[in-house]
Amino acid sequence: IFVVVNVDGSLVQHPLTCLGSFNREEEGWRRDNDWDILWMVDEEEKKKGNSFLVNLEERTGGGIFTCHSLDRTLLKNTTVLVKHMDEQKRILEGSTTTGIQDVCYMKCSTRNYQGEFHCSWKFTTKRVGNVMSVRVARGLSDAENISCSVDASGQQWTCSSSSGQSDIMCSVNSSGLGVSCVDRQYCPYAEETDRITLTIYMRTNYLLEEYSQRFYLSEIVKPDKVSINKVNSSTIEWRYPVSWNSPTSYFPLSFQVKEIKGRERKNGCTCDSPCTKVRTTSSQWSVKAKVMVCVRAQDALCDSHWSDWTEYRSVPHSLVYCIQQNLSSRTPSRSMHLNY
């Protein structure tokens, strides 16, 4: 049995009982010290009786509380977790966005509009936790009336609402650093009317913390990298990612093209120096000699994440000619052996 106790910094006392109750009107009621029961905390003997008063303060006091008969037969096992009510988090690393006070502990993204999404996190240097529970739903009303269950592995959670409007399944990654989810009620051709609310309950020792994120899929979508092909000596073209939704007329992408010249090419597409940037819906580009071209994509209908850059490095015509000449002048080694 797991018991979660909310604390606010002051001393909180939470009663546990092993057998029966303290209602004098119930048959079989006895005084606490009349019970032949032994309480142990984390395998250390503490007291006798049917009740145990747990003292919790700040983030301490949790543990495994077991009661036994006098011959040490286990009667009940209760794990008490402490959940502090303040906003200071200890388990996951957080980051702030410029100009926004809220701290983000989870990063969520999706590669398309198929209803799948992934959220990840990082542990702080002092603590490593594990996922205790997952709750996910669409809309605040469904989030309040959601019912979640977990499979035998303890890694796969399914959350459904009584209204039937929310049915989302999440799997905790084997690394323990993220969850992958799919909204089984999602339709890519309909407008999202409600945000997804994902709540992760993270545990380390006997401390429990709650982390939540709310989003539309359109807010977290990030296309995969585009592929670039050479059309001719002076033109390249790129294609939509294979993972992107079709038809592209209904799910259009816009592209950003960046040209990098000179020594800055060694830094790749992530260069911070001034570069020529053009936003376009075209899928072709004229390539200049000794210029590296970088292309990335974004959903054309919403201001969401850009894909990672795809780079194309043109090879000077003189270098291509030299390589061709060098290759044609070589004599295959097999022919040399046949001449002996």
Side-chain angles (χ1 to χ4, degrees), residues 122-330:
K122 292 182 179 180
F123 294 117
T124 59
T125 56
K126 295 183 179 180
R127 295 181 185 271
V128 175
N130 62 283
V131 176
M132 182 73 182
S133 178
V134 176
R135 290 179 62 84
V136 58
R138 269 200 185 272
L140 294 177
S141 59
D142 272 356
E144 296 175 356
N145 302 302
I146 203 75
S147 175
C148 298
S149 60
V150 63
D151 68 353
S153 70
Q155 298 294 104
Q156 184 167 296
W157 295 81
T158 301
C159 295
S160 303
S161 63
S162 56
S163 66
Q165 297 299 313
S166 185
D167 182 15
I168 303 177
M169 184 174 66
C170 295
S171 297
V172 181
N173 298 355
S174 58
S175 65
L177 297 175
V179 292
S180 297
C181 306
V182 55
D183 182 355
R184 295 187 285 193
Q185 295 287 345
Y186 178 73
C187 175
Y189 303 100
E191 183 179 355
E192 289 183 277
T193 57
D194 295 302
R195 281 187 169 90
I196 292 174
T197 300
L198 173 68
T199 303
I200 304 292
Y201 296 90
M202 193 70 65
R203 174 189 173 184
T204 177
N205 295 324
Y206 303 115
L207 172 65
L208 187 73
E209 291 182 352
E210 176 182 335
Y211 298 88
S212 293
Q213 192 83 306
R214 296 185 66 236
F215 52 83
Y216 294 112
L217 292 186
S218 59
E219 292 175 328
I220 64 170
V221 68
K222 178 182 178 180
D224 284 338
K225 295 171 66 173
V226 302
S227 59
I228 299 179
N229 299 310
K230 182 178 179 179
V231 177
N232 52 47
S233 60
S234 60
T235 307
I236 60 172
E237 67 176 1
W238 49 85
R239 297 180 180 176
Y240 277 57
V242 175
S243 59
W244 191 248
N245 294 73
S246 61
T248 56
S249 58
Y250 193 84
F251 299 97
L253 291 175
S254 61
F255 306 96
Q256 191 174 63
V257 184
K258 177 165 63 175
E259 292 184 339
I260 305 176
K261 305 176 182 179
R263 296 180 179 179
E264 294 298 335
R265 288 179 297 173
K266 66 180 181 180
N267 296 324
C269 292
T270 57
C271 75
D272 294 326
S273 61
C275 305
T276 302
K277 295 181 182 179
V278 177
R279 186 162 178 169
T280 178
T281 56
S282 173
S283 60
Q284 288 195 345
W285 192 259
S286 297
V287 181
K288 302 173 184 177
K290 298 181 180 181
V291 172
M292 184 173 71
V293 179
C294 304
V295 183
R296 62 180 182 176
Q298 182 191 50
D299 186 338
L301 303 180
C302 62
D303 187 20
S304 55
H305 301 289
W306 286 96
S307 71
D308 293 331
W309 291 103
T310 300
E311 69 176 49
Y312 178 85
R313 296 175 182 265
S314 61
V315 180
H317 298 304
S318 58
L319 179 57
V320 174
Y321 177 77
C322 290
I323 293 175
Q324 292 174 341
Q325 289 293 101
N326 191 25
L327 289 174
S328 62
S329 64
R330 290 183 179 179

Side-chain angles (χ1 to χ4, degrees), residues 53-66:
L53 196 60
V54 182
N55 293 319
L56 304 117
E57 191 170 8
E58 291 293 339
R59 291 174 170 82
T60 62
I64 300 175
F65 298 79
T66 57

